[in-house]
Amino acid sequence: AMLVGGVVSVWRVRNGLVRAVTELLEQLGGSKSGIKTEQERDISGTAIVLLGLASFATAGMVYFEALNQAVLITVLALFAMAVMAFFFSAVASYIVGLVSNSNSPVSGMTITAVLLTGLLIWTSGYTGPEAMMATLGVAGVVCCVACTSGDVCNDLKTGHIVGASPRRQQMMQISGV
């Protein structure tokens, strides 16, 4: 039931995901969107990509060390983490927009991350401590991503209501994380 609800939520946010990725690619391509006011400015697309890559590399190094320098299982864990974090952050943000931060189904997303990662790693032939560490590592990161994305979305929503600058809020959120 949780998985079906998650798929439905991802389906509902598909247009927003496409718009967000399109806008990021336009920013990276040098296209200017004509934003003029401080209340409409975000951090740059380049900064988003660089911070994302740095986070991805850090997670990769942690996984690699925790998994006894096993390259294939590290790659599988990173793949699972990236895909689920991308979609679950969108679901958490969507839920915050609908019903508030306190009702975000982070536990369900974390359980789904455990199940899907465990299935991926098990079907790839890994068992034992490395498989458990990879599964729990992915679930931990996905849980933190879902929680943080919901919190940031809630903060940005509140900031918008009071007229705060999204760019400055985003810079402070990054500092806090």
Side-chain angles (χ1 to χ4, degrees):
M2 280 187 294
L3 188 58
V4 171
V7 170
V8 169
S9 294
V10 169
W11 181 255
R12 287 184 178 160
V13 299
R14 71 189 182 284
N15 293 330
L17 286 172
V18 169
R19 278 194 314 269
V21 171
T22 302
E23 184 176 322
L24 178 63
L25 293 174
E26 286 174 358
Q27 282 185 14
L28 292 174
S31 173
K32 301 293 181 199
S33 59
I35 295 174
K36 296 184 172 83
T37 67
E38 184 64 22
Q39 282 71 31
E40 296 175 322
R41 280 183 65 203
D42 291 309
I43 59 174
S44 72
T46 303
I48 291 169
V49 169
L50 291 176
L51 288 167
L53 289 174
S55 298
F56 190 78
T58 301
M61 289 186 290
V62 170
Y63 288 170
F64 185 71
E65 286 300 316
L67 301 172
N68 298 320
Q69 291 83 33
V71 175
L72 183 57
I73 195 168
T74 300
V75 170
L76 288 170
L78 281 171
F79 171 76
M81 178 207 66
V83 170
M84 284 187 278
F86 178 78
F87 288 112
F88 290 168
S89 66
V91 170
S93 298
Y94 174 70
I95 297 297
V96 166
L98 286 179
V99 292
S100 87
N101 202 28
S102 61
N103 293 327
S104 186
V106 174
S107 59
M109 290 185 266
T110 304
I111 291 167
T112 302
V114 168
L115 294 173
L116 293 178
T117 304
L119 181 64
L120 174 68
I121 289 174
W122 179 70
T123 57
S124 298
Y126 288 98
T127 59
E130 285 83 12
M132 287 186 286
M133 289 294 294
T135 301
L136 293 175
V138 169
V141 170
V142 169
C143 178
C144 289
V145 166
C147 289
T148 302
S149 66
D151 176 61
V152 169
C153 184
N154 202 34
D155 292 346
L156 289 171
K157 178 174 64 173
T158 304
H160 178 74
I161 291 169
V162 299
S165 163
R167 185 173 151 279
R168 293 182 189 272
Q169 283 184 282
Q170 291 160 352
M171 289 169 27
M172 291 295 96
Q173 290 287 351
I174 291 166
S175 299
V177 169

